Every structure is written in structure tokens, then in C-alpha cells.
Amino acid sequence: MAVLVDEGYQTHPTVQHRFFPYAQNGGTVVAVAGEDFSVVGCDTRLSEGYSILSRDVSKVRKMTKSGLLGCVGFHGDVLTLTKMLDAKMKQYKHTHGKDMSCEAMAQMLSSTLYYRRFFPYWVYNMVAGIDNNGKGCVFSYDPVGSYERETYRACGSASAIIQPLLDNQLGYKNQSNANPAPLTRDRVRTMVRDIFAAASERDIYTGDEVEISVIDANGIDTQRFPLRSD
Amino acid sequence: MAGMYTTHMHLPRMVDMKEKVAEFWQEEASLSQPRKHTLQPIVTGTSVLGIKCRDGVVVAADTLGSYGSLARFRDISRLMKVNDSTIIGGFGDYADFQFIMKLLEQQTIDDNVVGDGVYRDAPSIHNWLRCVLYNRRSKMNPLWNTIVVAGRDFAGKPYLGYVDKIGVSFTDKSVATGFGSYIAQPMMRKAMEENPNMSVEEAKRLMERCLKVLFYRDCRSLNRFQIGVVTETESSISDPISAETDWSIGANPSGYE
């Protein structure tokens, strides 16, 4: 049969919206490691475009009794990824008879993310907790599993607003007369709270509430504070 | 270890993924075979609204199946009773929603033949739907729907969930899809703030008000709708209700001429 319509008419002219399998659902995580504790803060807003899908979605998960995981980005992948991780954590516990350490969890998360290198989980992750030596630890990731241990990090939609502030307040970058004092739980918690209040002023994807967890040898203490809800 | 200012080496960007996805569709198009994927919704249903109240959950949707701008089918049901604890409402492509209903029906039958009296509560159905929708999106062959899951859990607590075609899901006190997320959701949030302990009857009246406003403003909607209610003991979907409308108010707003 002769082809009547040839080149130039390959696609239907009315097909405009092509399926895109990701969404940007916003959210910000901040984590800080102290000497024998660490702090994680995350907002509870879930957005899509200019809409707020929900004002009360927790994006920080308790993985072990001394390890938290914060994940923001595409919420569909967040849910799938955390489900995968929960299963892996459970398997590890049944095999080895103990909880995974933060260092092990960090490496496991990296491998899980890299497994999907060519169709990535669009998730920005942060692992925070207490390491094998009882010190506070923070690990930050990119969506394909590249990771690094750090003392402080902001990731997610307001990361570009928050990270410079952390560099100044906690990293004492380029301050010749800086006199770094050791971090206390209260100072970090107040700072994280203020940081989120500030970020929610300028980033529309951050707001509603901030959930701040302090992890130390005694366990995890979580508190919530209100943020701008517009 | 690298300095603090080092960024991660191969940070992927959303634009890279957009190019990759565009390439994928170009390849698809060049195969010159019949399309087997939902690339765009054809017969569509508009907003689904849901609200959680003190003694149950209420969910509502109109009965229109649009074919583009044509009001093609005026008597289709977009609410489905899954079992005594759950009702779902479907937004988006109606054929895909019918497929989902078929899957759920079969699933319910499979559960029933075991005969142990075990059924799925609303959270299980919500989770199950999310898996189905997320798997289809990962195959780049989506079911073009947003689904509202209304019901209660095994403990008898009201439950209201949302899941869309790419697997974004959450639970909340009130949910709305499509145009309803712009118009009805703010109305529902305001009403819930003023009356946090709403009863099913109050919630039903609120739904009717929201649907009426949607009918005035959403060109793909109809003033004929169904309301589903899940209480402590049962779940039921009403017969279609027609809302009285008054277009004389159309003359009142001014300043837009």
C-alpha cells in the first residue's frame, strides 16, 4: 500500500502534552552534625506547580534508633525509595541481628540510588545520626548516589538560600578573626528554626511547618514549629 | 576529603532528563506502529473532591465525561464502591479509570474467594493503587488518572488519600483534583479551619456548595453529581443529584468587561 502522508506529518499536530514521569514537589532538608549529636530539620509542605498539595507531609523518616533519613524532590520517587530502603533495613536486621550503622546505611543508600543511574530516583537525600564512634554525622547525596560526609548541609528547594548562611554561621568561611565555639543542641535547633523561617519567606516550596529532630545517645527528640503558610 | 565548596561531580539536572524523555518519545513516534500508550487523555472526568470529618469521609464527583470541550457523556459514574470500607473517585482519562475499576473488582473477588473474611481497608487500597500507577509511569505507559481514596482503616478511623498518574501520593484532611484544587480546595480548607469537627451532613452540604461553584467556573463540569460517604459501618454512593443553579448572578460581577 502506498504511503500517502510522508515526512513532516509524523506526529499528530494536536499532541502537545507529552508524558513526563517526574514532578518537582519541593521541600527542604537541613542537617548539622555536632560533636555527639546531630540535628535534622525538614519542612512539611508538598507542592506541585503553584499549588500546595498538602501542608502536612513528613519527609523525614526514622530508619534506626539513631539514624534519620530526610528526602525531598519528586515525591513519587521519595515514596518508592523509602519503601525499598525500609525493606533493605529489615533484611539487614534479620540477617545480622542488629540495626544498620549510619555509615552502612549511607553506603547502602548510595548503591540503591546508583542502581537507577539511567532513570534516576529524583530525590535529594540526607542521612543524619550518630556514627559507630558516637559522633554526630551527616551524609548528603545527589540523586544518582554520589555522597559525602559533612558537618552541615542544606538540600532541596531552598538549598541555594540556606547553604551560604550555613557556610557563614557554621563553617566560618573566609572570616580571619573567627573564633569557632563548639556547637550546642540548643544553638543548632534555634538556628535551624530561624533558617527555615527565613527560607519560607523567599522560597514558595518551603513552608507550613518545620519538623526538627535532635539525635543523640538518648534517642531522637522531634519537635514541630509553624512556618509561613502562604 | 574535598573542600566545602566542591559540588557533587555529576549532578544530574532536570533539563537533562527532559531531553532524555523527549528522545524516548521521538523514538516511539518513529516506530510507525499503532500507539498503545495513553499519550493524552481522551474522554476525561474533571474534579474529584474529598473531605474527612469526625464520623466519616465524604467524596464527590460530577457525572460528566468530556471529549475535549464536548460534553460527550453526561451520565457516567466516577465514584466506585470498592467494599464496605472504601470508595474511590477518578479524575482524568475515563477509559483508564474503567480499567482501574476492573482491576479492583477482580482483586476484591480474589480476596473474597479465600473466604476468610479478610478485606482491604482504605490505606491498603491507596497503597496498592500507588504501586499500580507508579509502575505504569516507570514503564512510560501511564494510567492517566488522579485517584481519591476515601474510607476508613482497620481501626475504624476515617482515611482520605490522593494518588496521581506519576505516583505522588499523600493523605490529608481534604483533597481535590484538577480544577477543584484551585477553586474547591481553598473553600474546603477554610471551612475546615472554621469547623474542624465537621459532621458528615455538614460535609455533604459543603461538597454541594463546592461543586456548585465549580460548575459556575469549570467549563468541563456538570451540575449533576454523586456524593459518596464512608462511615464507621458502611459505604454508599448517592444517586446523581442535580444542583439548582442561578445564572442571574452572572450579571453582578463587574470590572472585567
Side-chain angles (χ1 to χ4, degrees):
Chain A
M1 203 181 82
V3 179
L4 297 175
V5 182
D6 210 319
E7 60 223 86
Y9 289 90
Q10 298 271 333
T11 50
H12 196 272
T14 57
V15 178
Q16 279 172 356
H17 185 106
R18 271 193 289 198
F19 177 66
F20 188 63
Y22 292 106
Q24 173 56 267
N25 298 112
T28 305
V29 195
V30 172
V32 178
E35 183 53 30
D36 59 348
F37 69 95
S38 56
V39 176
V40 198
C42 184
D43 69 316
T44 63
R45 176 175 292 181
L46 193 75
S47 323
E48 196 163 341
Y50 290 127
S51 295
I52 295 171
L53 291 178
S54 178
R55 300 185 189 280
D56 184 20
V57 172
S58 178
K59 284 162 286 195
V60 180
R61 272 154 194 84
K62 186 181 172 189
M63 303 302 280
T64 63
K65 61 182 187 302
S66 62
L68 291 180
L69 169 70
C71 11
V72 293
F74 167 43
H75 197 60
D77 280 343
V78 167
L79 295 168
T80 309
L81 177 66
T82 48
K83 203 164 145 181
M84 290 287 295
L85 294 177
D86 283 345
K88 289 187 180 194
M89 302 296 286
K90 205 170 269 180
Q91 252 173 351
Y92 182 97
K93 196 166 182 182
H94 288 316
T95 314
H96 302 284
K98 60 172 185 182
D99 270 345
M100 226 186 253
S101 67
C102 271
E103 290 96 320
M105 192 161 72
Q107 176 56 50
M108 186 267 285
L109 175 55
S110 172
S111 311
T112 311
L113 290 166
Y114 195 78
Y115 182 75
R116 287 270 298 257
R117 175 60 181 83
F118 298 108
F119 187 21
Y121 288 116
W122 213 279
V123 183
Y124 292 88
N125 289 285
M126 193 99 83
V127 168
I130 304 296
D131 72 6
N132 282 328
N133 305 314
K135 306 247 183 264
C137 63
V138 165
F139 298 88
S140 77
Y141 295 76
D142 78 357
V144 288
S146 170
Y147 81 111
E148 189 174 19
R149 183 168 175 172
E150 293 176 296
T151 48
Y152 58 86
R153 172 63 87 174
C155 76
S157 62
S159 59
I161 295 173
I162 297 172
Q163 192 65 34
L165 192 75
L166 295 175
D167 284 333
N168 180 266
Q169 290 294 302
L170 298 173
Y172 301 99
K173 297 293 181 192
N174 300 298
Q175 298 170 52
S176 49
N177 53 354
N179 184 19
L183 292 173
T184 64
R185 289 160 177 75
D186 275 345
R187 181 171 168 235
V188 177
R189 184 161 30 202
T190 326
M191 188 184 286
V192 170
R193 196 181 162 179
D194 285 347
I195 279 172
F196 271 91
S200 65
E201 289 287 333
R202 292 284 178 172
D203 177 28
I204 59 165
Y205 299 114
T206 300
D208 291 319
E209 266 186 305
V210 60
E211 196 174 58
I212 301 176
S213 306
V214 180
I215 311 142
D216 60 18
N218 299 323
I220 302 170
D221 172 36
T222 306
Q223 281 178 295
R224 278 194 180 208
F225 304 100
L227 294 175
R228 280 182 79 103
S229 52
D230 59 356
Chain B
M1 190 151 285
M4 282 301 179
Y5 287 107
T6 316
T7 50
H8 292 301
M9 288 290 288
H10 30 253
L11 193 74
R13 298 170 307 152
M14 195 62 107
V15 278
D16 297 336
M17 233 26 234
K18 281 197 171 137
E19 275 164 30
K20 238 179 116 173
V21 170
E23 260 169 50
F24 172 88
W25 288 123
Q26 237 147 43
E27 245 168 69
E28 276 276 308
S30 66
L31 292 177
S32 70
Q33 276 169 345
R35 291 196 186 278
K36 289 174 185 168
H37 291 182
T38 306
L39 299 179
Q40 69 203 343
I42 305 295
V43 173
T44 58
T46 184
S47 323
V48 181
L49 313 178
I51 199 159
K52 202 156 74 173
C53 31
R54 95 173 151 242
D55 43 356
V57 193
V58 178
V59 61
D62 68 23
T63 60
L64 181 66
S66 303
Y67 183 83
S69 59
L70 173 71
R72 180 69 182 81
F73 303 105
R74 294 192 291 180
D75 189 25
I76 56 165
S77 174
R78 295 193 288 120
L79 298 184
M80 177 207 184
K81 175 175 170 170
V82 181
N83 55 39
D84 278 328
S85 73
T86 312
I87 291 174
I88 61 165
F91 160 87
D93 192 273
Y94 195 66
D96 284 352
F97 186 60
Q98 284 178 315
F99 175 71
I100 288 168
M101 289 196 287
K102 203 170 96 174
L103 287 181
L104 271 170
E105 259 161 33
Q106 191 55 52
Q107 187 66 253
T108 311
I109 291 167
D110 291 352
D111 289 347
N112 276 342
V113 291
V114 180
D116 56 2
V118 175
Y119 63 97
R120 281 158 208 262
D121 64 345
S124 335
I125 285 166
H126 186 204
N127 208 237
W128 183 84
L129 282 170
R130 199 197 86 79
C131 290
V132 170
L133 294 173
Y134 183 85
N135 273 310
R136 288 290 293 260
R137 86 101 218 190
S138 299
K139 290 178 190 156
M140 294 298 271
N141 184 14
L143 291 165
W144 212 285
N145 298 108
T146 301
I147 295 173
V148 173
V149 182
R152 60 187 143 76
D153 60 16
F154 283 130
K157 250 179 66 189
Y159 182 93
L160 184 60
Y162 169 109
V163 56
D164 75 4
K165 65 177 182 298
I166 50 175
V168 172
S169 105
F170 59 90
T171 64
D172 210 340
K173 286 178 287 188
S174 68
V175 298
T177 68
F179 213 77
S181 66
Y182 301 114
I183 287 182
Q185 182 72 299
M187 291 173 72
M188 294 193 290
R189 282 183 183 158
K190 185 160 175 257
M192 294 213 82
E193 219 166 86
E194 287 162 2
N195 183 9
N197 214 9
M198 210 177 278
S199 70
V200 164
E201 283 311 310
E202 285 171 313
K204 273 163 119 174
R205 279 201 295 281
L206 174 63
M207 284 287 152
E208 284 182 33
R209 205 159 61 84
C210 290
L211 285 162
K212 194 185 268 192
V213 176
L214 275 171
F215 176 59
Y216 283 131
R217 288 292 173 182
D218 178 4
C219 297
R220 309 282 172 264
S221 72
L222 201 63
N223 63 332
R224 198 161 173 278
F225 50 82
Q226 286 177 296
I227 296 183
V229 180
V230 185
T231 61
E232 191 90 9
T233 47
E234 52 144 25
S235 69
S236 62
I237 300 171
S238 75
D239 288 333
I241 305 161
S242 289
E244 286 293 317
T245 53
D246 177 10
W247 289 99
S248 66
I249 57 162
N252 294 334
S254 60
Y256 301 100
E257 291 82 17

